[in-house]
Amino acid sequence: MAEAFLTAQELHKSFNEHKAVDGVSFTIYKGEIFGLLGPNGAGKTTTIRMLSTVLEPDSGDVTIGGYSVRRDANAVRSLIGFWPQELALYEELSAFDNLVFFGRMVGLDGKEARAQAAARLELLGLAQRAKGRVDKFSGGMKRRVNLAVSLMGHPELLFMDEPTVGIDPQSRNNIYDTIEGLRDKGMTILYTTHYMEEANRLCDRVAIMDGGRIIAMDTPRELRSQIGPPDQVTLEDVFLRLTGRSLRD
Ligand SMILES: Nc1ncnc2c1ncn2[C@@H]1O[C@H](COP(=O)(O)OP(=O)(O)O)[C@@H](O)[C@H]1O
Ligand SMILES: [Mg+2]
């Protein structure tokens, strides 16, 4: 039996009167890629912000590695990495210096920060550009540096919020390979997307969200098999069947 690493229980969050997240519960097992899938406005980002201690739930709780985001937020933060959609880099510093800086921020000593920085840049295919200033990098390369930053300090669980929105196909494939490589090394990953094909390819299990709720949760294949021969239907078809709407905006 797989070991639960993250458990979300009855999460609620409203903005004004609007229920952005309306009673969300799920478990993520150690070493899996778990996808939160749903159209824009479904509540994916609000959920991931609560899981990662950025936003306090109105009610409900999350435990990660046995620690509560409400009572032990600092312990939770030491277990997680967050790959934000927006860039969070010092443009005038080199890729290497950015990584060392953020490594020091998560408490690494200088030697360890430099060692991890070099290893992360190697992992993401950026070793040749380690000393290059970030403001000279392409958008896709900056995203990869950002991912390298989120891996400093060896997080056990990595959050990614729509990591492939608006990037070129080459960087997108590099990101897919990286995510799979991290999972193969034992990392647990929570990933949001509104791209059905991407979730189908990458995720071990997915939760489909709509209107702040989870409307289905299982392996992509099992979800597909519930509406037809799994090799002939897509997760897009599953969403359409469940909601009567197409997932595309
Ligand atoms: N800070 C906020 N203030 C007000 N409304 C918000 C805020 N964040 C999200 N919302 C609303 O909550 C709902 C869910 O948003 P979000 O979690 O960003 O969805 P997703 O990431 O799936 O696109 C949307 O209707 C959005 O407009
Ligand atoms: Mg979002």
Side-chain angles (χ1 to χ4, degrees), residues 192-246:
T192 80
T193 186
H194 64 275
Y195 297 130
M196 296 270 124
E197 259 322 296
E198 185 170 293
N200 193 56
R201 166 179 166 176
L202 278 179
C203 295
D204 298 302
R205 289 188 308 131
V206 298
I208 301 180
M209 283 190 81
D210 190 41
R213 293 169 176 269
I214 291 176
I215 57 172
M217 180 160 53
D218 214 319
T219 64
R221 187 178 177 85
E222 184 57 33
L223 289 173
R224 285 183 279 116
S225 75
Q226 284 169 12
I227 65 157
D231 298 324
Q232 291 169 34
V233 298
T234 65
L235 287 179
E236 191 92 30
D237 299 327
V238 174
F239 187 82
L240 181 65
R241 177 71 64 88
L242 288 168
T243 65
R245 304 193 318 279
S246 165

Side-chain angles (χ1 to χ4, degrees), residues 6-248:
L6 179 153
T7 306
Q9 286 165 312
E10 276 299 306
L11 290 176
H12 288 264
K13 186 74 193 182
S14 293
F15 297 108
N16 306 315
E17 297 299 289
H18 178 68
K19 291 179 177 173
V21 172
D22 189 16
V24 159
S25 303
F26 58 87
T27 297
I28 302 178
Y29 298 104
K30 212 165 175 41
E32 74 173 342
I33 302 177
F34 185 87
L36 271 184
L37 189 56
N40 284 328
K44 304 182 299 295
T45 295
T46 305
T47 301
I48 211 170
R49 289 175 73 210
M50 290 190 282
L51 302 179
S52 57
T53 79
V54 175
L55 185 69
E56 195 178 338
D58 294 339
S59 63
D61 199 1
V62 181
T63 53
I64 297 178
Y67 297 107
S68 156
V69 296
R70 287 183 175 282
R71 292 183 304 280
D72 303 303
N74 283 331
V76 167
R77 287 184 196 117
S78 73
L79 296 174
I80 65 177
F82 195 105
W83 187 21
Q85 226 172 40
E86 330 73 56
L87 291 170
L89 298 171
Y90 290 98
E91 296 260 327
E92 70 283 4
L93 294 181
S94 69
F96 183 82
D97 287 346
N98 266 282
L99 289 174
V100 171
F101 173 79
F102 286 107
R104 299 302 302 266
M105 293 285 284
V106 298
L108 304 179
D109 66 32
K111 187 166 175 236
E112 178 64 18
R114 289 191 295 277
Q116 283 197 28
R120 298 294 173 269
L121 290 168
E122 182 75 42
L123 176 76
L124 292 165
L126 291 166
Q128 306 302 324
R129 301 295 296 272
K131 295 293 161 80
R133 277 171 60 134
V134 165
D135 58 5
K136 301 286 188 284
F137 285 12
S138 71
M141 287 168 67
K142 289 180 186 175
R143 296 289 298 259
R144 280 189 266 158
V145 178
N146 229 12
L147 173 55
V149 165
S150 66
L151 295 172
M152 295 297 287
H154 291 300
E156 293 184 45
L157 171 63
L158 184 64
F159 294 108
M160 301 179 168
D161 194 6
E162 306 240 15
T164 58
V165 166
I167 69 167
D168 61 273
Q170 191 194 336
S171 287
R172 186 174 288 199
N173 281 327
N174 178 286
I175 287 167
Y176 294 156
D177 292 346
T178 303
I179 292 173
E180 287 172 336
L182 291 170
R183 189 254 323 264
D184 294 345
K185 289 194 172 77
M187 187 171 290
T188 308
I189 294 167
L190 178 113
Y191 176 89
T192 80
T193 186
H194 64 275
Y195 297 130
M196 296 270 124
E197 259 322 296
E198 185 170 293
N200 193 56
R201 166 179 166 176
L202 278 179
C203 295
D204 298 302
R205 289 188 308 131
V206 298
I208 301 180
M209 283 190 81
D210 190 41
R213 293 169 176 269
I214 291 176
I215 57 172
M217 180 160 53
D218 214 319
T219 64
R221 187 178 177 85
E222 184 57 33
L223 289 173
R224 285 183 279 116
S225 75
Q226 284 169 12
I227 65 157
D231 298 324
Q232 291 169 34
V233 298
T234 65
L235 287 179
E236 191 92 30
D237 299 327
V238 174
F239 187 82
L240 181 65
R241 177 71 64 88
L242 288 168
T243 65
R245 304 193 318 279
S246 165
L247 198 124
R248 291 178 212 283

